Amino acid sequence: MRVRDAISALTPPGDSVICIDDAHLLDDLSALVVHQLILTKTVRVVLTIRSGMPAPDAVTALWKDRLVERLDLQALSVDETGTLIEAVLGGQLESRTVRGLWTLSCGNVLYIRQLVDEEVSAHRLENVAGVWIWNGQPVISPRLNDLVAARMGRLTPRVLDVVDALALCEPLDVDVLIQVTSPGAVEEAETQGLIDLTAKLNYIRHVTLAHPLFGEVRRARCGALRKARICGHIATELSTYPCVDMRDAVQRAILILDSDIEPEATQLLHAARCAMQLLDLELAERLVRASVRAGAGVEAQTQWAITLTTLGRGVEAQQVLAELEGAGLPDEDIATTSAVRAAIVLWMLGDPGFAQRILDAAAGNAKRSGATGPHTAVQASLAAATGNPNSAIRAAKVALSDRLDDFHSAIATFASVISLGELGRIREMRAAADTILEIAERSPEAAQLKFALGQFQSAALRTSGHLDDMLRCGEQLCQHTVDTPGNLSALAAMLHGHTDLAFGRLTTAVRWLREARADYAIERLHARAWRALNLAWLAQAYGKNGDGEAASEAATELANVRPADFPYVDMDCALAEAWVNAAEGALNEAITSAQCAAEIARERGQLANEVLCLQTATQFGDVSTVQRLAQLVDEVEGPRAVAAYVHASALKTADGPALLKAADQYANFGDRVAAADACAQAALGLGAAGHRGTALSAHAATLRLAAECQCLHTPALRELAEPIAFTGRQREIVRLATQGLTNREIAERLVLSVRTVEGHLYRASRRAGVTNRGDLVAILGGG
């Protein structure tokens, strides 16, 4: 009778749906009611059951007897996790944050929700420059603790020992875990689903916790004395086993630091170097700092500075070495540490003048000790950064002929990579880059330098037009920085964004470059040179999208952070200015910016850079670039110089078929933006010449390329889309008018009289068939 009454109460007239969450928690009578309710087919029922939890027989019979359809929901993937959290937060999520939250939650939606809510409330997950970034160090809330504890179940003291041992040190070899706990405890933990065993080799099985949050919960509850005892017990047991690889050395050193065992300075320094080689930067910094406290000496302090630099903490790094230089060291140590310090000041703080003063102050120490090689290496790097490629190459050769440590060998070779790339000598640049990679593979001090190399090498491959090689270079490096904190994470995002920008994948380029901007906006990161480059590329990407407001905002931020007297960033900053002007409609200013950048590059001998600047001016419609590009074809290696010359020559003679050929050449090496511009110019020229069929084909090709570029909106495409044909100056003034500028503001921007602006707008209105400025702006999409 009670079941019938319940069913009657739950079946109101009409079409109804009953949802039952956590149906595995129903008592037997309630489960019977649900079962009978479904049999009556008078109402639709949706039930949820948590995987792995026992449910009443009446509930499990529902899908066993095929009375309901069972749908097993899988945990979210990394991408799905990111999409969900971004929808909740209403903004872009940093890629490393996505992976960190997914790793911790294993894609469990309930855990994700609790983590995000708690981390946002505690301001550990924050919006920085429009991107949500997590510090990666959760504090387990009581609610989340209860959820995870319920998943773990009731733990006996001996099983708790197993879980706590792995919470403090995982993975562990199963034999080691058995020795520090007991065989029965490990078996019981496995039966309860608390641990996983993974075969590493035929005779070695590694043990980890079944869920990362198990470790977080237990570490939060583990007292200092218990933690020290467990870590000491594990460290003592591991000392009876040989170290198989670098990970073993790092693991053992960390255990000793967390125990009450007295650490050895040399052991800590060795482990720090291993952690650096593995790019486990935060552990490397902790270990090397401990080795300094333990008295490891000058070598440890130099390693500490390099590690801090890799974490993006350049100010702290140079201060560590500054204090070391005043500690009464021998001349050779002062010479070496001053060279490292100067390199940090140059590339992290973007201050060539300060770097030169550091070298000058220690020049006597270097000369007296004969340790001039490190100083010459950094001097070569200074020459490269300040726009003297030929001097840089000469200095690098001198430095590399001397006896150098791995760090300074890499610094000298950097100078060659940068300068050979700017000169367009790509084959030699590749050989120099391979040398750095060899050094980085064997040297903890130089391990992180391969990521800066990625930026330098990518710049050369981009300017020369070897974009497929640029892509491969980035992919090989970025896979190592998936969860790396600090400067390397930002560098990896930059490298992704720079590559997408080169290929014209503008939406994804903006996403990656916004992420890097947010990383660099964090106060502890001091990489001014990299930050400036990233903002320059972001402004270029926005400019190519035609988003003048966002491009101008990025350019303004760039002006505020750009290092003074640091010519290495000059070309990209000038191109950023050019694309901002182009997006705002000031086309003559855009051409002038690109031409000025080309002239500066020419004066410095940066021929490959000059090609890219002249190509950009050509995309804006400048036909004066032909003569110089004809000369550069024979001096700069790579397909870009040839394509740019064909483009400029065809544009000057209004040769539509030749413009299409240039577009094909650009597309063949991957520059879709330039290809789309050349196609648009071809369509305009062919249409004006009366070749309607070919013009339509060129127009269609332009639209296809623009679609591949993800929202491309360049001056050439805007001109192609305009319903009225204007002169160049009319188009520029009309474009500025659609941006909302008054006639006086347009006159000031273009250095014209107000009457001249009014005259151009009048004639443009006549062409458009309207009688006033407002109607002209309205039909062209202005406000």
Side-chain angles (χ1 to χ4, degrees):
M1 179 66 72
R2 291 171 59 192
V3 172
R4 284 200 300 272
D5 291 343
I7 292 173
S8 177
L10 290 171
T11 52
D15 190 14
S16 303
V17 177
I18 295 178
C19 298
I20 303 168
D21 195 20
D22 289 336
H24 55 281
L25 300 178
L26 293 173
D27 58 57
D28 290 337
L29 183 58
S30 299
L32 178 60
V33 169
V34 172
H35 189 277
Q36 294 299 312
L37 191 64
I38 291 172
L39 284 176
T40 65
K41 298 183 180 180
T42 57
V43 66
R44 287 179 289 178
V45 179
V46 178
L47 306 94
T48 68
I49 296 176
R50 191 170 301 176
S51 299
M53 301 296 289
D57 291 341
V59 172
T60 57
L62 291 174
W63 66 81
K64 288 182 179 179
D65 296 340
R66 298 187 178 182
L67 298 176
V68 296
E69 181 181 356
R70 172 171 171 155
L71 178 63
D72 290 299
L73 298 179
Q74 302 301 314
L76 298 183
S77 67
V78 177
D79 290 342
E80 290 166 340
T81 298
T83 300
L84 173 63
I85 298 174
E86 287 187 346
V88 170
L89 297 179
Q92 181 179 334
L93 200 64
E94 181 203 34
S95 58
R96 188 164 55 94
T97 293
V98 174
R99 290 188 296 270
L101 291 171
W102 177 83
T103 299
L104 195 56
S105 66
C106 291
N108 182 301
V109 177
L110 185 59
Y111 292 163
I112 291 171
R113 176 180 177 179
Q114 291 302 317
L115 279 168
V116 170
D117 285 348
E118 291 298 327
E119 297 307 293
V120 170
S121 298
H123 303 292
R124 289 184 294 270
L125 178 57
E126 292 187 282
N127 190 310
V128 180
V131 177
W132 289 88
I133 297 180
W134 181 45
N135 70 4
Q137 299 173 343
V139 175
I140 302 300
S141 68
R143 182 176 174 83
L144 183 57
N145 181 83
D146 291 344
L147 284 171
V148 177
R151 166 82 181 272
M152 294 171 70
R154 193 172 184 85
L155 304 181
T156 63
R158 68 176 191 170
V159 170
L160 199 60
D161 286 342
V162 174
V163 174
D164 283 356
L166 290 171
L168 296 172
C169 180
E170 66 174 331
L172 277 175
D173 173 53
V174 67
D175 293 334
V176 173
L177 184 59
I178 287 172
Q179 287 299 318
V180 298
T181 57
S182 69
V186 174
E187 290 172 7
E188 189 176 340
E190 184 183 17
T191 301
Q192 288 184 229
L194 297 170
I195 62 174
D196 289 330
L197 274 70
T198 305
K200 184 182 178 186
L201 300 171
N202 291 336
Y203 55 94
I204 296 178
R205 286 175 296 167
H206 276 177
V207 188
T208 59
L209 290 172
H211 197 287
L213 283 174
F214 293 174
E216 294 292 341
V217 166
R218 288 308 306 162
R219 281 192 293 273
R221 290 188 172 186
C222 194
L225 293 177
R226 178 174 173 82
K227 178 179 179 180
R229 178 180 61 78
I230 293 173
C231 288
H233 194 179
I234 297 172
T236 301
E237 179 62 28
L238 286 174
S239 67
T240 64
Y241 293 76
C243 271
V244 177
D245 57 26
M246 290 186 289
R247 289 175 178 80
D248 289 343
V250 173
Q251 184 186 55
R252 295 178 190 191
I254 290 295
L255 283 167
I256 289 173
L257 281 183
D258 289 338
S259 73
D260 51 8
I261 300 172
E262 188 68 28
E264 297 179 6
T266 54
Q267 181 187 14
L268 293 175
L269 180 56
H270 171 69
R273 289 165 61 87
C274 290
M276 193 68 172
Q277 191 79 20
L278 295 167
L279 296 178
D280 198 336
L281 303 183
E282 291 180 337
L283 279 185
E285 197 273 330
R286 183 186 174 197
L287 288 164
V288 74
R289 181 162 28 93
S291 76
V292 170
R293 287 200 303 264
V298 175
E299 184 182 2
Q301 286 184 279
T302 304
Q303 182 68 48
W304 188 18
I306 292 172
T307 306
L308 287 170
T309 300
T310 310
L311 283 165
R313 293 155 61 183
V315 172
E316 296 173 66
Q318 80 92 13
Q319 287 172 347
V320 166
L321 295 178
E323 293 170 6
L324 193 58
E325 289 175 21
L329 300 176
D331 283 335
E332 183 173 359
D333 286 342
I334 292 176
T336 302
T337 56
S338 66
V340 175
R341 184 183 171 206
I344 291 169
V345 166
L346 173 63
W347 290 111
M348 291 300 293
L349 306 187
D351 195 337
F354 186 17
Q356 186 64 65
R357 291 194 295 275
I358 292 170
L359 292 180
D360 291 343
N365 306 89
K367 187 173 182 180
R368 285 191 297 272
S369 64
T372 58
H375 273 221
T376 308
V378 179
Q379 200 70 59
S381 191
L382 267 164
T386 52
N388 296 289
N390 290 304
S391 298
I393 291 169
R394 287 193 296 271
K397 286 181 179 178
V398 172
L400 291 168
S401 67
D402 202 345
R403 179 175 55 86
L404 287 178
D405 57 43
D406 285 336
F407 180 83
H408 289 102
S409 292
I411 291 294
T413 312
F414 268 151
S416 295
V417 170
I418 294 168
S419 301
L420 290 167
E422 290 177 342
L423 291 169
R425 291 156 57 179
I426 302 302
R427 285 187 292 273
E428 295 172 78
M429 184 278 296
R430 291 179 195 272
D434 288 343
T435 298
I436 294 179
L437 289 175
E438 290 172 9
I439 294 171
E441 287 302 317
R442 69 170 183 256
S443 169
E445 293 83 6
Q448 83 287 1
L449 294 179
K450 59 189 173 187
F451 299 98
L453 168 67
Q455 296 290 356
F456 298 140
Q457 191 176 9
S458 290
L461 295 170
R462 176 192 174 192
T463 53
S464 63
H466 292 93
L467 301 192
D468 287 338
D469 290 341
M470 181 186 184
L471 178 63
R472 282 190 289 271
C473 168
E475 287 175 342
Q476 290 170 2
L477 288 175
C478 289
Q479 63 184 349
H480 297 292
T481 62
V482 171
D483 297 311
T484 304
N487 191 46
L488 293 192
S489 176
L491 274 172
M494 276 180 67
L495 193 52
H496 277 300
H498 189 201
T499 302
D500 284 333
L501 177 65
F503 276 97
R505 297 189 287 259
L506 300 180
T507 301
T508 49
V510 165
R511 183 179 178 87
W512 281 114
L513 296 170
R514 277 170 49 88
E515 178 173 318
R517 177 176 68 174
D519 283 337
Y520 284 129
I522 296 173
E523 192 172 317
R524 66 177 178 269
L525 291 185
H526 307 131
R528 291 191 68 199
W530 300 125
R531 187 177 181 185
L533 270 182
N534 183 76
L535 286 168
W537 294 335
L538 181 59
Q540 291 176 40
Y542 279 134
K544 292 177 181 182
N545 274 342
D547 190 340
E549 184 177 352
S552 179
E553 180 187 334
T556 300
E557 188 178 346
L558 169 61
N560 292 331
V561 304
R562 180 178 176 181
D565 303 320
F566 198 77
Y568 178 72
V569 302
D570 283 355
M571 180 194 72
D572 281 294
C573 291
L575 290 180
E577 180 184 354
W579 280 106
V580 170
N581 288 330
E584 292 178 340
L587 201 52
N588 284 323
E589 289 185 54
I591 291 172
T592 299
S593 296
Q595 281 283 14
C596 287
E599 183 60 31
I600 292 171
R602 181 178 183 178
E603 290 171 358
R604 293 173 178 167
Q606 299 167 325
L607 304 184
N609 291 8
E610 185 184 359
V611 168
L612 182 56
C613 295
L614 292 173
Q615 175 196 306
T616 304
T618 306
Q619 289 175 241
F620 296 150
D622 184 7
V623 297
S624 70
T625 58
V626 179
Q627 185 176 356
R628 180 56 182 160
L629 283 169
Q631 297 169 348
L632 291 169
V633 165
D634 296 325
E635 299 185 56
V636 176
E637 296 174 22
R640 187 181 297 281
V642 176
Y645 168 66
V646 172
H647 183 185
S649 180
L651 187 65
K652 185 172 185 179
T653 58
D655 187 339
L659 281 167
L660 291 175
K661 178 182 177 183
D664 285 341
Q665 290 177 320
Y666 285 133
N668 285 341
F669 70 77
D671 191 340
R672 295 183 180 88
V673 174
D677 280 345
C679 254
Q681 290 165 343
L684 287 165
L686 289 165
H691 303 296
R692 180 171 174 77
T694 315
L696 288 173
S697 296
H699 196 152
T702 303
L703 296 179
R704 175 180 55 78
L705 287 164
E708 291 176 2
C709 291
Q710 306 169 342
C711 193
L712 184 65
H713 200 59
T714 64
L717 269 71
R718 286 198 295 270
E719 184 179 356
L720 185 62
E722 282 175 357
I724 306 105
F726 297 116
T727 67
R729 180 61 88 179
Q730 286 172 357
R731 184 179 305 109
E732 185 173 30
I733 290 173
V734 169
R735 177 67 179 168
L736 290 171
T738 63
Q739 302 281 323
L741 274 68
T742 66
N743 289 357
R744 183 168 296 281
E745 288 170 336
I746 295 172
E748 291 172 355
R749 175 74 180 267
L750 301 181
V751 196
L752 299 171
S753 70
V754 175
R755 287 182 64 85
T756 301
V757 171
E758 291 171 348
H760 280 298
L761 285 171
Y762 171 74
R763 286 185 289 275
S765 297
R766 292 286 300 272
R767 288 192 178 210
V770 296
T771 58
N772 58 66
R773 184 188 199 272
D775 290 342
L776 177 64
V777 169
I779 66 172
L780 293 175

